[in-house]
Amino acid sequence: MTDIPESHPRYESLKMRESLVKSVEEGITSQAGLIAHGRGEMFDYLLGEETTEMAKKAERKAVAELDKAENPVISINGNVVALVPRGIIELSRTLDAKLEVNLFHRTDERMKKIEQKLRENGAEKIYGLDPEEEIPGLDHKRALCSHDGIYTSDVILVPLEDGDRAQALKKMGKKVITIDLNPLSRTSKTSDITIVDNITRAVPNMIRCEPLQEDFDNGYNLRRTLHYMSERLKILSEEI
Amino acid sequence: MTDIPESHPRYESLKMRESLVKSVEEGITSQAGLIAHGRGEMFDYLLGEETTEMAKKAERKAVAELDKAENPVISINGNVVALVPRGIIELSRTLDAKLEVNLFHRTDERMKKIEQKLRENGAEKIYGLDPEEEIPGLDHKRALCSHDGIYTSDVILVPLEDGDRAQALKKMGKKVITIDLNPLSRTSKTSDITIVDNITRAVPNMIRCEPLQEDFDNGYNLRRTLHYMSERLKILSEEI
């Protein structure tokens, strides 16, 4: 990529994109992951690039569920490592949750690069590197997982996840929690708790927040989020 | 990339993404272009992946303005070539408009690859390959353009354009027309006519449509589009 001139009015946003492009060059993020990031960017724009009250509530409930779990697992992919390499490890410590690498576009090389990046950022035990099990209902490569990790987890955090896999995990009877800026994605609709927030804000929030013990209605929370976005579009239209 | 299983419920959409990823591998689309495509995908989803009445009107007005122009030019970048290689050439013939390659991430290699792809799809004269002029107010590489093409154009179609350049062209006194799925982008707000539609639908529409001779209010058209998206979000929220 060429250098972005500092005179460009969207310098900050372009720099963030550039760091994802860099992680593609490092072999960590897939190119399809870049497209997914673009979709997220746009939903984040509709959120005003801020954590909403709905997202805060979902984050607090997610922490409560992961705290209570017997075998909590955090699933890691290329975009997660590119965006929150330190944060996701700190979160796994705070929650006493296992880290498992689980890729949509799995290759041995990408697995190694991601393992390396996690180690550089302080990860110790990493699951998913030598998977013995498969998630039922998925094609072989996408199904691979560790017995002591995802396979036997009861509560699983799958940030920036593919809808197919979120559904397959749900069918296994797990409590599924996701972080996804698109409230309309299959992952968002399938999950028990959907955090509609940028992962770069959600993870630090989850490290610090107070767990929510009260009832939580994910469908209601998603509908409120969509109404919030809908109103934002109307407000933004007045500026044209 | 690994093969996408046909069993995947979003097979079509994933295949489209894969063709863009392929064009990155061919050296035609930049990786930042993939992120931009992701943002577009999401806005298209809010449009129901259909051409709205507002977009049809903008397409018809765009054709009328390009028809009337003395030196109409169509600006081409990597995503345009990846998505509508034949259509954009056919449109330039229909409108008797010049084709000029103009890249945000300009390298000699990408220029050559794009030229080659355009030739394979039947393009004859291509501007922008040996640029003698610069668009005032932009950094050197982004400013380069042909004297007989963009530099002296009176009406210019800049699909999937960067906001900086759209503004610089406007400052040169040109009539600027864009195709952009994001009605809130600077390009969309800056242009005289903004076609908020997927380029894969807009280009065939423009080849066939009847030019609109009546007055056209771009701001009003954009506000209506945003209201349409806002309503769609509300309707979609009811399905959760």
Side-chain angles (χ1 to χ4, degrees):
Chain A
M1 280 182 76
T2 45
D3 282 340
I4 296 160
E6 284 200 40
S7 61
H8 196 287
R10 304 208 55 238
Y11 179 75
E12 287 299 329
S13 170
L14 291 174
K15 283 307 266 187
M16 203 199 287
R17 280 177 218 165
E18 204 169 46
S19 72
L20 262 172
V21 169
K22 183 167 159 268
S23 96
V24 171
E25 282 156 11
E26 290 172 356
I28 284 174
T29 301
S30 76
Q31 293 187 325
L34 290 182
I35 300 181
H37 178 74
R39 287 197 303 282
E41 265 187 10
M42 154 55 209
F43 278 107
D44 204 14
Y45 186 73
L46 292 190
L47 293 175
E49 292 169 351
E50 283 180 357
T51 302
T52 63
E53 285 309 309
M54 293 73 85
K56 270 182 207 157
K57 202 169 172 185
E59 285 158 4
R60 294 179 54 208
K61 189 65 186 176
V63 169
E65 292 297 335
L66 286 157
D67 267 346
K68 276 194 296 205
E70 291 205 0
N71 188 20
V73 172
I74 300 176
S75 179
I76 307 276
N77 64 25
N79 281 31
V80 173
V81 170
L83 293 167
V84 284
R86 279 166 187 276
I88 205 74
I89 293 164
E90 196 181 335
L91 182 64
S92 80
R93 291 222 179 93
T94 315
L95 295 168
D96 206 8
K98 292 170 182 168
L99 289 172
E100 177 157 343
V101 182
N102 199 251
L103 305 181
F104 192 76
H105 298 290
R106 185 187 183 106
T107 65
D108 287 344
E109 203 195 335
R110 286 190 66 223
M111 291 297 290
K112 281 219 178 71
K113 301 269 186 178
I114 290 174
E115 180 193 0
Q116 192 190 333
K117 181 111 176 180
L118 286 169
R119 300 258 183 244
E120 283 166 15
N121 283 279
E124 286 163 21
K125 179 82 184 151
I126 301 170
Y127 292 82
L129 304 175
D130 299 299
E132 321 85 348
E133 301 278 4
E134 294 192 12
I135 301 166
L138 296 177
D139 292 278
H140 173 65
K141 264 190 155 184
R142 306 207 193 291
L144 294 169
C145 68
S146 282
H147 178 84
D148 294 339
I150 287 177
Y151 196 74
T152 55
S153 64
D154 53 344
V155 181
I156 180 165
L157 174 63
V158 285
L160 318 180
E161 185 55 277
D162 163 70
D164 249 13
R165 212 151 37 190
Q167 287 182 328
L169 291 167
K170 191 78 192 113
K171 273 191 195 141
M172 287 177 84
K174 299 179 190 312
K175 186 156 281 191
V176 176
I177 301 168
T178 195
I179 303 171
D180 192 328
L181 279 160
N182 178 359
L184 295 162
S185 72
R186 278 190 307 135
T187 304
S188 286
K189 293 186 202 171
T190 302
S191 297
D192 295 282
I193 301 171
T194 305
I195 297 163
V196 182
D197 201 1
N198 194 313
I199 192 169
T200 61
R201 296 189 300 268
V203 166
N205 287 348
M206 288 173 78
I207 290 168
R208 281 186 301 261
C209 73
E210 196 193 333
L212 178 77
Q213 303 303 343
E214 294 97 272
D215 284 351
F216 175 83
D217 181 339
N218 201 49
Y220 174 71
N221 211 49
L222 282 173
R223 284 191 295 277
R224 277 187 63 203
T225 305
L226 283 163
H227 276 258
Y228 182 88
M229 289 178 172
S230 169
E231 286 306 308
R232 277 266 306 166
L233 272 174
K234 261 193 210 141
I235 292 163
L236 289 167
S237 82
E238 285 158 23
E239 291 168 16
I240 288 178
Chain B
M1 279 182 76
T2 45
D3 284 340
I4 297 159
E6 284 199 39
S7 60
H8 196 286
R10 305 210 52 237
Y11 180 74
E12 287 300 330
S13 170
L14 291 176
K15 283 307 264 188
M16 203 199 289
R17 280 176 218 168
E18 203 169 46
S19 73
L20 264 172
V21 169
K22 186 168 155 270
S23 96
V24 172
E25 282 156 11
E26 287 171 359
I28 285 173
T29 301
S30 76
Q31 293 188 325
L34 291 182
I35 299 181
H37 178 75
R39 288 198 302 282
E41 265 187 8
M42 148 56 205
F43 278 106
D44 205 14
Y45 186 74
L46 291 189
L47 293 175
E49 290 168 353
E50 282 179 359
T51 302
T52 63
E53 284 311 310
M54 291 73 82
K56 271 183 206 155
K57 202 170 173 186
E59 286 157 5
R60 293 180 55 209
K61 190 64 186 176
V63 168
E65 293 297 336
L66 287 157
D67 267 345
K68 276 194 294 204
E70 290 204 4
N71 188 21
V73 172
I74 302 176
S75 178
I76 307 275
N77 63 25
N79 280 32
V80 173
V81 170
L83 292 168
V84 284
R86 278 165 186 276
I88 205 75
I89 294 163
E90 198 182 334
L91 182 63
S92 78
R93 292 224 177 90
T94 315
L95 296 169
D96 206 9
K98 292 170 182 167
L99 289 172
E100 177 158 344
V101 182
N102 198 252
L103 305 182
F104 192 77
H105 299 290
R106 186 187 182 106
T107 65
D108 289 345
E109 202 195 334
R110 286 190 66 223
M111 289 299 288
K112 282 219 178 69
K113 300 269 187 178
I114 289 174
E115 180 192 0
Q116 192 188 334
K117 181 110 176 181
L118 286 169
R119 300 258 183 243
E120 284 166 14
N121 284 279
E124 286 161 23
K125 179 81 183 150
I126 301 170
Y127 291 82
L129 304 175
D130 299 301
E132 321 87 345
E133 301 277 7
E134 293 192 14
I135 302 165
L138 295 177
D139 291 279
H140 173 67
K141 265 191 154 181
R142 307 206 193 292
L144 294 168
C145 68
S146 282
H147 178 84
D148 294 340
I150 286 176
Y151 196 73
T152 55
S153 65
D154 53 343
V155 181
I156 180 165
L157 174 63
V158 284
L160 318 180
E161 185 54 277
D162 163 68
D164 248 14
R165 213 150 38 189
Q167 286 181 331
L169 291 166
K170 192 77 192 112
K171 275 191 195 143
M172 286 177 84
K174 301 178 189 310
K175 187 155 278 187
V176 176
I177 302 168
T178 194
I179 304 171
D180 191 328
L181 279 160
N182 178 357
L184 296 164
S185 73
R186 275 190 309 134
T187 304
S188 286
K189 291 187 204 170
T190 301
S191 298
D192 296 283
I193 303 172
T194 305
I195 298 163
V196 181
D197 201 1
N198 194 313
I199 192 169
T200 62
R201 296 189 301 269
V203 166
N205 286 348
M206 289 172 78
I207 291 168
R208 281 187 301 263
C209 73
E210 197 193 333
L212 179 77
Q213 303 303 346
E214 293 97 272
D215 286 350
F216 175 83
D217 181 340
N218 201 50
Y220 175 70
N221 213 49
L222 282 174
R223 286 190 293 276
R224 278 187 63 204
T225 305
L226 284 163
H227 277 258
Y228 182 89
M229 289 177 171
S230 169
E231 284 307 308
R232 277 267 305 166
L233 272 174
K234 261 193 211 143
I235 292 164
L236 289 165
S237 82
E238 283 158 23
E239 291 167 15
I240 288 176

